[in-house]
Amino acid sequence: MKNNKIYILERSINHALGKTIEEICDWYNNESAIPLIDSTELYQENMIKMPILKNQNKLSITPNILRKMDAFCAYCVDGINDMSIESYPKERMGLFLGSCLGGLSTAEREIRILENEGPGRVSPFLSIAMFYSSSISQISIIYNITGPSYLYSDGFLSGFSSIIHASESIKENVIPISIVGASDMPFSPTCVKAYNDIGLLEQNNYVTDGSAMLLLGTEQYIEDKDCVEIAGFGYGYFHPDKIEDSLNKALQECLASSMVSKEEIDLVVLSDNYFEDQREREFNFFSTLLDAQYLSLSKLLGNSFSATSVQKLLIAESILLNKNLPFNMRDNSVATIILSSIDISGNCIMIILKK
Amino acid sequence: MNKNRVVITGMSMITPIGIGIDNYWNSVLKSKSGIDLVTRFDTTEYRCKVGGEVNDFDITQIIQDNDILNDRFDRSTGFALAAIDMAMRDANLSDADTYHEMGCYVGIALGGAESGEIGYKQYMTNKSGYQDPYLYHSNIPNGCMYYINKMFRFGGPCHTLSTGCTSSTDTIGQAYRAIKTGKVSTIIVGGTEAPITPLTYSAFGNIKALSFNTYEPQKSSRPFDQNRDGFVPSEGGCFLVLESLDKALNRNAKIYAEVLGFASSANAYNMVHPHPEGTQNIRAIELALDEANLLPFQIDYINAHGSSTRLNDSIETKIIKKVFNEHAYKLKISSTKSMVGHMLGAAGAIEIATTCLGIFNSVIPPTINYENPDPECDLNYTPNHPVSKDIEYAMSNATGFGGLNSVIILRKYS
């Protein structure tokens, strides 16, 4: 059986800094201008010192639809609105999405109602919103997508999980095309509190909400577009004491599945959203193996949980397409990029993009 | 591309009718109900007062790892850790080298629902004085995987899938694909759920999806019966060991059944109601049969979704008739939910495990509480008592809120 190649056909991004790569990267060039919002009353009440940047982009969703869904789900729907998927076949289109926190903020609002007003006042929409899979169900209904639909909740890796599983399904001819991506809305009291209590968020520049969505498909859908290929991916179990072993496993799998040699990798986009010593070890691992340029986007993008790694992938795609080179790079001849993503649960995924 | 055959070589279950294969299967053979009045919270103000609780679950009886037991995790994570440990032992896979090569896929619909509610209530009471380093890991679905990694250190792909009531059918389907294509040779896969919480009962009670029968709790889950009035939430976990046939034969493993096909689809119709014609569920069944290289008449037994809601059971009957035509009346069908209730994210796994045990022991499990025939549900649902019968090919059908459908095809290994 022929193994299909997989390409990025469409994309959308929703980040507090903007809804296009260009807008977001403009912030990079004017780094000091990133408008960190010193949280709401709620967080001040908790004495949390964490900088927060709330996404205030206008969503392209009618209020009637919006009221039936959690914000994480709304970001997904908005993301698909921003892509052009109408010309692609919906019946065999897959829907593989990721979310770390799902409808946590809605659930917490309803717990408050349950406590204060009793069970009869809990919203009937909660039965829908409390399932993490509500996003894929809502999207399948709104866009009439009837292919296989899955929601991965692999923490920070959720977005990359959605990409590698959809890619496998496309490779194996289960589906020819799939929407993938991730979204998260982390501004719920217990989420912020929980991450703060394990000391993770202070490691990041800021916390934010948003999404990143892609449409992946086979060569037959490329037409005359410039497209980037998802050339390979690899997976590694990340034991805190043996990061290098796990990164090595993921890298070897990634290189083997893409048939790319170490020498061909021009740029490494680091995961860089974990604890300080692990950041250093991740960088040291790559720098001893690869003669490449390195890019850390964590300072620019902050941490929007599952969405961040996919947002990084879209910036990497933009670099390959030569649409954006706002970074301090040695040259603009980048043709192959490897992206690394590590999750707090102890897993990592790498993806190779090729021009 | 590799095309490995995939077999099931181990399993375990923690359910309201029994913990472990022997206890569970004996209860199935006795047509036992695990449903009773809820004791995990005060249901006075709630319309639904019944549920399937695992009252005799004591994790320390199964796991002796103090590093894990000293942590605090959600009840659903406890079910998963214990069920994985038991399934690994059942499959006779117990050395660290084996773990290093294995993957682990977990299906869960609600995440740590109970921990989330307790955590948020404590937060509301204590605000800034409240510090809980366990909250993150106990609250979200992926938190379960954190503890699984900590305890078992599986070295292969580890994923958490949350697709509502089809979650664990989907994880088993994806594990089957991963082994079939040679990505990995062994995966421990299943589902876990602990949904008996005030918020879950409020949300599903307010859309009238739950059974409000409190007169005879043991009879409140009654799939395909004329007097069914909603599903009954229940808790538990179920995990299976899937591995390539070659590997299983090399180590002389016991083989419960072979996985032959998997497919899933989305209705794109309504968040709560199933599609009246079941078009996409039919498509998923046909795709799964196609992958298994089977014709409909070859199926002997269907473990139905059979949720005990008015709409699901009549529409599922209609779907079976459309796919199987006249053969629908010769098929044996049953609903595991009649005995254990609806384990949400774990439902698919327990139903597939029950199907495997049926295949392995040549027994069709019963649909209990089937007392009043419904003209819209006129097939053979194996009412009230198990039936001895060889099963060559079987199908497990799962559907869920939001209109997701997933189907697994199994066969007797010979």
Side-chain angles (χ1 to χ4, degrees):
Chain A
M1 190 191 296
K2 184 187 148 198
N3 261 4
N4 292 315
K5 286 188 172 184
I6 300 139
Y7 298 90
I8 301 172
L9 304 173
E10 307 284 344
R11 79 285 300 147
S12 71
I13 190 165
N14 189 341
H15 187 278
L17 299 177
K19 285 190 80 178
T20 65
I21 300 290
E22 288 77 9
E23 283 173 0
I24 292 166
C25 292
D26 273 352
W27 284 108
Y28 189 87
N29 294 329
N30 301 284
E31 192 183 297
S32 61
I34 292 177
L36 296 181
I37 295 167
D38 189 20
S39 78
T40 60
E41 240 176 64
L42 180 68
Y43 303 114
Q44 286 164 4
E45 186 180 293
N46 280 305
M47 296 181 291
I48 290 172
K49 299 281 190 287
M50 183 180 57
I52 284 168
L53 183 55
K54 180 100 179 67
N55 190 326
Q56 293 176 330
N57 294 326
K58 190 168 164 33
L59 299 181
S60 56
I61 304 172
T62 63
N64 195 34
I65 293 179
L66 197 56
R67 110 191 136 82
K68 296 177 187 169
M69 58 179 71
D70 186 89
F72 97 98
C73 183
Y75 284 136
C76 291
V77 175
D78 179 68
I80 296 175
N81 278 343
D82 288 348
M83 296 196 292
S84 309
I85 64 163
E86 285 311 313
S87 58
Y88 299 98
K90 305 284 186 56
E91 191 184 86
R92 295 189 63 209
M93 184 181 283
L95 190 52
F96 291 58
L97 298 183
S99 182
C100 176
L101 304 167
L104 194 60
S105 51
T106 299
E108 289 183 355
R109 185 190 67 214
E110 297 298 329
I111 294 170
R112 209 159 50 234
I113 293 170
L114 173 66
E115 284 294 285
N116 297 333
E117 303 175 44
R121 301 297 300 166
V122 169
S123 166
F125 291 127
L126 179 64
S127 58
I128 298 162
M130 72 193 302
F131 281 122
Y132 277 62
S133 54
S134 63
S135 57
I136 52 174
S137 299
Q138 295 273 17
I139 290 165
S140 76
I141 292 166
I142 294 168
Y143 297 97
N144 196 31
I145 296 166
T146 56
S149 302
Y150 306 116
L151 190 285
Y152 295 88
S153 191
D154 287 333
F156 292 171
L157 295 186
S158 303
F160 270 19
S161 289
S162 78
I163 291 171
I164 65 170
H165 280 97
S167 298
E168 281 166 352
S169 289
I170 294 170
K171 271 194 170 182
E172 293 154 17
N173 281 309
V174 177
I175 46 171
I177 195 163
S178 182
I179 292 171
V180 299
S183 79
D184 260 311
M185 200 338 240
F187 299 125
S188 85
T190 52
C191 169
V192 171
K193 189 76 179 137
Y195 274 87
N196 191 63
D197 287 355
I198 58 171
L200 181 60
L201 293 181
E202 63 202 41
Q203 307 284 331
N204 292 281
N205 193 28
Y206 60 93
V207 177
T208 185
D209 49 344
S211 67
M213 312 285 283
L214 298 81
L215 182 70
L216 303 182
T218 53
E219 197 166 355
Q220 69 181 104
Y221 298 104
I222 291 180
E223 296 177 346
D224 56 351
K225 294 187 196 95
D226 272 346
C227 282
V228 165
E229 182 190 350
I230 307 263
F233 37 82
Y235 178 93
Y237 165 66
F238 167 34
H239 187 280
D241 301 331
K242 296 178 181 172
I243 300 173
E244 292 77 6
D245 287 356
S246 124
L247 289 169
N248 194 44
K249 181 168 179 274
L251 178 64
Q252 297 309 327
E253 256 185 44
C254 214
L255 295 172
S257 65
S258 60
M259 290 189 280
V260 164
S261 67
K262 283 192 294 190
E263 292 71 28
E264 287 176 80
I265 292 176
D266 303 309
L267 177 66
V268 179
V269 179
L270 297 161
S271 174
D272 208 12
N273 60 354
Y274 209 51
F275 296 110
E276 191 62 39
D277 68 318
Q278 285 150 352
R279 291 178 182 200
E280 282 176 26
R281 290 170 71 181
E282 185 196 17
F283 177 74
N284 288 340
F285 165 79
F286 280 114
S287 60
T288 54
L289 283 174
L290 306 175
D291 179 25
Q293 300 178 73
Y294 291 87
L295 187 57
S296 166
L297 292 168
S298 296
K299 199 168 183 185
L300 171 67
L301 296 174
N303 187 349
S304 50
F305 294 74
S306 66
T308 306
S309 54
V310 189
Q311 289 166 346
K312 288 178 182 175
L313 186 141
L314 288 181
I315 290 178
E317 185 213 20
S318 181
I319 291 169
L320 287 174
L321 294 174
N322 273 331
K323 285 182 182 168
N324 282 285
L325 286 169
F327 311 107
N328 186 21
M329 295 168 64
R330 289 202 295 262
D331 60 58
N332 64 355
S333 59
V334 173
T336 308
I337 299 178
I338 189 163
L339 295 108
S340 155
S341 184
I342 299 171
D343 175 58
I344 193 168
S345 71
N347 300 316
C348 73
I349 293 177
M350 291 181 198
I351 293 178
I352 289 184
L353 298 184
K354 264 169 79 174
K355 207 167 192 170
Chain B
M1 191 190 299
N2 279 323
K3 285 282 178 191
N4 292 320
R5 287 172 69 182
V6 181
V7 291
I8 295 169
T9 56
M11 63 172 84
S12 72
M13 53 282 290
I14 294 168
T15 76
I17 60 169
I19 295 174
I21 296 172
D22 292 345
N23 290 333
Y24 174 75
W25 189 240
N26 283 336
S27 295
V28 168
L29 296 179
K30 289 176 185 163
S31 302
K32 188 176 166 186
S33 167
I35 310 303
D36 210 333
L37 293 173
V38 166
T39 60
R40 291 196 65 76
F41 67 96
D42 179 2
T43 59
T44 307
E45 290 183 67
Y46 296 78
R47 293 183 70 185
C48 177
K49 299 176 191 301
V50 292
E53 295 177 345
V54 187
N55 292 318
D56 48 354
F57 177 65
D58 176 2
I59 193 167
T60 61
Q61 297 294 311
I62 301 164
I63 292 172
Q64 275 80 47
D65 184 340
N66 284 332
D67 251 12
I68 292 291
L69 295 175
N70 289 336
D71 276 347
R72 206 196 69 214
F73 39 76
D74 189 72
R75 189 166 167 82
S76 58
T77 299
F79 291 146
L81 295 173
I84 289 172
D85 192 65
M86 291 190 296
M88 297 293 283
R89 277 189 270 129
D90 183 53
N92 206 16
L93 291 170
S94 53
D95 61 275
D97 287 346
T98 308
Y99 289 13
H100 191 65
E101 298 299 319
M102 284 182 68
C104 178
Y105 290 7
V106 177
I108 185 165
L110 299 176
E114 191 174 71
S115 299
E117 284 188 52
I118 292 169
Y120 187 64
K121 285 175 192 170
Q122 285 177 342
Y123 164 81
M124 285 199 301
T125 310
N126 298 309
K127 297 283 169 117
S128 58
Y130 174 57
Q131 275 241 329
D132 184 355
Y134 295 109
L135 184 59
Y136 163 70
H137 294 303
S138 57
N139 200 355
I140 62 172
N142 192 44
C144 182
M145 189 59 80
Y146 171 84
Y147 289 103
I148 291 171
N149 277 348
K150 187 173 174 180
M151 181 167 165
F152 298 99
R153 307 203 166 177
F154 294 122
C158 296
H159 296 290
T160 304
L161 201 59
S162 187
T163 50
C165 309
T166 62
S167 297
S168 51
T169 307
D170 288 331
T171 55
I172 291 167
Q174 296 210 348
Y176 155 70
R177 289 258 164 79
I179 296 169
K180 184 180 170 185
T181 54
K183 182 179 165 189
V184 60
S185 62
T186 312
I187 298 180
I188 177 106
V189 54
T192 186
E193 203 77 66
I196 302 184
T197 73
L199 194 66
T200 310
Y201 273 61
S202 305
F204 289 107
N206 289 349
I207 59 165
K208 299 185 174 66
L210 303 183
S211 170
F212 297 147
N213 174 4
T214 54
Y215 179 63
E216 289 177 295
Q218 287 79 14
K219 293 190 173 180
S220 51
S221 184
R222 41 195 318 127
F224 305 107
D225 183 273
Q226 172 74 41
N227 295 336
R228 66 190 183 275
D229 72 331
F231 79 85
V232 178
S234 65
E235 59 180 9
C238 176
F239 279 79
L240 298 90
V241 175
L242 264 61
E243 63 183 307
S244 67
L245 177 62
D246 289 348
K247 193 171 175 202
L249 292 177
N250 278 341
R251 64 182 193 88
N252 286 324
K254 168 178 59 186
I255 296 175
Y256 287 103
E258 180 174 359
V259 186
L260 281 191
F262 163 66
S264 57
S265 64
N267 288 347
Y269 173 69
N270 186 286
M271 285 301 289
V272 179
H273 300 305
H275 190 282
E277 300 304 319
T279 318
Q280 290 302 325
N281 195 171
I282 290 171
R283 182 164 157 253
I285 294 171
E286 289 174 344
L287 287 170
L289 286 169
D290 194 43
E291 180 165 3
N293 206 15
L294 292 178
L295 293 167
F297 76 86
Q298 292 178 276
I299 297 289
D300 302 305
Y301 166 63
I302 297 176
N303 190 302
H305 183 66
S307 64
S308 185
T309 63
R310 293 228 55 90
L311 276 178
N312 175 81
D313 296 358
S314 57
I315 291 172
E316 191 171 16
T317 300
K318 194 192 279 188
I319 288 164
I320 292 170
K321 287 181 191 172
K322 279 189 182 172
V323 175
F324 294 92
N325 298 310
E326 283 305 304
H327 184 62
Y329 294 91
K330 297 174 193 160
L331 280 166
K332 293 283 190 183
I333 300 165
S334 66
S335 167
T336 305
K337 293 186 183 77
S338 65
M339 293 173 280
V340 301
H342 196 336
M343 290 162 63
L344 302 181
I350 190 65
E351 288 159 18
I352 290 165
T354 306
T355 308
C356 286
L357 288 172
I359 291 172
F360 193 70
N361 294 301
S362 297
V363 170
I364 309 280
T367 302
I368 68 167
N369 299 322
Y370 185 86
E371 295 169 337
N372 310 289
D374 176 352
E376 290 185 355
C377 302
D378 58 349
L379 300 175
N380 184 346
Y381 305 105
T382 324
N384 302 315
H385 301 287
V387 172
S388 292
K389 185 183 186 304
D390 268 346
I391 305 169
E392 182 68 28
Y393 297 104
M395 181 185 104
S396 178
N397 187 41
T399 61
F401 274 94
L404 305 178
N405 313 293
S406 291
V407 177
I408 292 270
I409 308 282
L410 301 165
R411 88 157 160 208
K412 186 190 270 290
Y413 173 72
S414 55

